[in-house]
Amino acid sequence: MKNVFFSLLVLLVGQAAYSQNTTASETQAMNSVKASHQLKQQSTDQSLNGTENLAQITFTEEVYDFGTIKEGEVVEYTFKFKNTGTAPLLIEQAKSTCGCTVPQFPREAIAPGATGEVSVRFNSAKKSGRQRKPIKITANTSPQITTVYIDG
């Protein structure tokens, strides 16, 4: 535990010295890594204490039916969710099965009780017939992967 504390202290001091010369995007990336390390440490501490303190992602809607569209049209939809768990929610990735469906997700931790959004853009170019595209969200939840769908 002392080694972890010392490592975090060295990381924070190094980050403070380096941050004077970083851009906003570099700072955001470092904060994301720091939040990830803190969540992993929190999970380790909870395991040692024998407690379960998990993030939980709950979507208001898990399937969006965009209906009938013409080939080549682009459909956009925003899935809204809430962290119904007791720990900060950190989404590691959101992906679909092909490049025609592109999700965008928050990179920062979502506090317990707070809400967030996963925006999805589907390009129907060269797609005909019924389309059902899964969007798999990987996060620090149990289960680790949650799937939502666009359908039409």
Side-chain angles (χ1 to χ4, degrees):
M1 188 69 172
K2 289 181 182 179
N3 288 340
V4 172
F5 178 74
F6 181 73
S7 297
L8 286 175
L9 181 61
V10 169
L11 176 69
L12 291 174
V13 170
Q15 180 182 358
Y18 182 72
S19 66
Q20 293 176 350
N21 297 324
T22 60
T23 65
S25 63
E26 289 171 328
T27 301
Q28 183 179 11
M30 288 188 329
N31 287 340
S32 179
V33 168
K34 187 170 106 178
S36 177
H37 286 295
Q38 288 173 340
L39 288 172
K40 287 178 183 175
Q41 181 60 43
Q42 179 182 19
S43 177
T44 301
D45 291 346
Q46 291 159 1
S47 296
L48 294 173
N49 294 333
T51 61
E52 288 295 322
N53 192 13
L54 296 172
Q56 185 64 44
I57 190 166
T58 304
F59 283 90
T60 55
E61 187 174 22
E62 294 179 3
V63 178
Y64 172 66
D65 184 351
F66 58 82
T68 303
I69 61 172
K70 293 180 181 179
E71 183 179 332
E73 288 185 52
V74 175
V75 176
E76 295 182 18
Y77 185 72
T78 301
F79 289 93
K80 297 178 192 284
F81 66 85
K82 183 175 184 176
N83 178 0
T84 55
T86 56
L89 170 67
L90 185 61
I91 297 176
E92 296 173 21
Q93 70 177 358
K95 64 180 182 175
S96 189
T97 55
C98 73
C100 65
T101 307
V102 180
Q104 298 287 335
F105 60 96
R107 307 285 184 188
E108 67 279 351
I110 307 296
T115 59
E117 299 178 341
V118 175
S119 299
V120 179
R121 182 172 191 206
F122 170 69
N123 185 345
S124 68
K126 299 182 183 177
K127 304 285 182 195
S128 61
R130 181 173 181 217
Q131 300 293 311
R132 182 172 177 88
K133 300 295 180 182
I135 298 89
K136 295 185 178 202
I137 296 113
T138 305
N140 63 327
T141 57
S142 181
Q144 189 176 10
I145 297 175
T146 303
T147 306
V148 294
Y149 299 88
I150 59 168
D151 194 16

